[in-house]
Amino acid sequence: MTMEDKAVVIQELENKVTITINRPTALNAINHEVMSTLHEFFTKNYNNPNIHGVIITGQGQKAFVAGADIKQFIGATAEKGSEVAKFGHDTFNAIEQFHAPVIAAVNGFALGGGCELAMACHIRIAAHNAKFGQPEVNLGLIPGYGGSLRLAQLVGKGRAIEMLLTGEPISADLAYHYGLVTHVVHEDDLYAKAHEILDKIVVKGPKAITELIKLVNMDNVNNPTLTQEYNIFGKLMDSDECREGVDAFINKRKPDFRGKN
Ligand code: CO8
């Protein structure tokens, strides 16, 4: 298997790791291979002193990550749905609690699980063409990787609930205005900006950096909203509403949710 065939490409240079989600034909949607590679990296390397910082991005010009792979939702039971969502939670919690800074360099669509991946990172920066959203309601679903909690934490409850209930994406500029990202730059400058931020952090005391990351994210350890979310996600996945939403997405038509349960 060449590097180009891998769903996630991990490169290390001078103690900084770049993780690229590499499924551009599916807009970098998160399948099992993507999630298990992220899980392995962030759990195995926790406290690895040789890793001073991480940048996560998506391959290509169009997407950071357009969500979980919807094509894998077909035929899922409630139990399987909760199990897959919980594995995503474990992975994103490991990112949030990582000992070194993790920056999301958002280079296009960050939707559903993609927005949730960005929100699990410590810092988010965006290219001008980035779009953020939690469109799960279009599928008769809710976020399954922590979005119900982290979006409200980052943008406030009022903005979060409008984004969650309408499923409408927002532009990079609005995301900046909401505080969801801290910088919006030209596409060509995105990685330079991510490195510039990391370079400011990696020269600081690493123990202090780790303790700050833990303190800022302490409320999310065993947070009940997170545990409820993956159970409810599973339950909704095994519903006619979700089957209609997924079928509509795959067949490129508008869903008709009325009368479904
Ligand atoms: N999953 C699978 N395939 C995808 C996804 C996705 N999330 N997003 C895009 N693709 C595929 C399309 O099906 C299409 O494939 P094909 O060429 O074979 O038809 C290809 O990528 C290109 O996409 P489009 O042709 O649709 O490109 P457009 O520019 O017309 O539209 C959009 C781009 C607006 C991003 C559109 O693709 C879209 O709406 N995608 C879905 C976005 C979405 O709903 N994301 C949320 C998914 S649910 C989720 O993330 C829940 C997280 C918790 C999961 C818990 C575990 C089970």
Side-chain angles (χ1 to χ4, degrees), residues 25-27 29 62 66-71 73 84 109 111-113 116 135-136 139 144-145 233 237 249 252:
T25 54
L27 302 188
K62 199 170 163 182
D69 192 325
I70 299 166
K71 290 167 190 167
F73 291 2
V84 176
F109 290 113
L111 301 177
E116 292 172 295
E136 287 86 352
L139 301 164
Y145 294 147
F233 182 90
M237 211 173 190
F249 175 77
K252 300 183 189 292

Side-chain angles (χ1 to χ4, degrees), residues 23-261:
R23 302 185 68 221
T25 54
L27 302 188
N28 302 321
I30 300 174
N31 63 5
H32 183 65
E33 187 186 343
V34 171
M35 193 58 92
S36 39
T37 309
L38 291 174
H39 187 271
E40 186 180 342
F41 177 85
F42 283 101
T43 50
K44 282 202 173 151
N45 286 300
Y46 180 67
N47 270 343
N48 176 347
N50 296 321
I51 297 182
H52 299 174
V54 179
I55 296 167
I56 302 183
T57 193
Q59 186 61 259
Q61 309 285 318
K62 199 170 163 182
F64 172 70
V65 167
D69 192 325
I70 299 166
K71 290 167 190 167
Q72 295 196 343
F73 291 2
I74 302 166
T77 59
E79 202 182 6
K80 184 77 189 162
S82 298
E83 186 190 305
V84 176
K86 180 171 186 313
F87 186 62
H89 270 259
D90 294 345
T91 306
F92 288 11
N93 290 341
I95 295 175
E96 192 169 58
Q97 300 295 330
F98 201 59
H99 67 281
V102 184
I103 299 187
V106 180
N107 58 319
F109 290 113
L111 301 177
C115 189
E116 292 172 295
L117 172 60
M119 293 192 294
C121 296
H122 305 131
I123 296 170
R124 283 152 296 287
I125 62 170
H128 281 293
N129 69 329
K131 280 201 167 22
F132 296 80
Q134 296 291 157
E136 287 86 352
V137 284
N138 296 327
L139 301 164
L141 283 171
I142 62 166
Y145 294 147
S148 333
L149 179 71
R150 292 192 180 102
L151 187 62
Q153 288 175 331
L154 287 164
V155 306
K157 207 162 149 184
R159 287 161 170 166
I161 202 147
E162 182 173 333
M163 286 178 70
L164 291 163
L165 299 188
T166 64
E168 286 288 307
I170 60 169
S171 67
D173 286 339
L174 192 53
Y176 176 77
H177 179 68
Y178 279 8
L180 185 54
V181 300
T182 46
H183 303 272
V184 179
V185 296
H186 189 278
E187 284 86 310
D188 297 343
D189 301 328
L190 187 64
Y191 304 112
K193 186 72 194 175
H195 281 283
E196 182 193 313
I197 297 169
L198 271 190
D199 289 342
K200 284 184 190 166
I201 300 171
V202 297
V203 292
K204 308 294 194 287
K207 285 194 190 69
I209 295 295
T210 304
E211 293 300 347
L212 276 172
I213 290 171
K214 281 193 201 158
L215 277 171
V216 170
N217 292 304
M218 194 170 260
D219 281 355
N220 290 4
V221 178
N222 298 322
N223 187 297
T225 305
L226 293 179
T227 33
Q228 279 291 328
E229 189 195 74
Y230 57 75
N231 287 321
I232 297 169
F233 182 90
K235 207 168 70 182
L236 288 172
M237 211 173 190
D238 191 5
S239 68
D240 288 342
E241 196 172 296
C242 176
R243 281 182 277 276
E244 166 63 10
V246 170
D247 185 76
F249 175 77
I250 287 167
N251 292 300
K252 300 183 189 292
R253 64 172 175 84
K254 277 197 164 39
D256 178 6
F257 291 121
R258 292 294 151 197
K260 307 282 187 305
N261 52 39

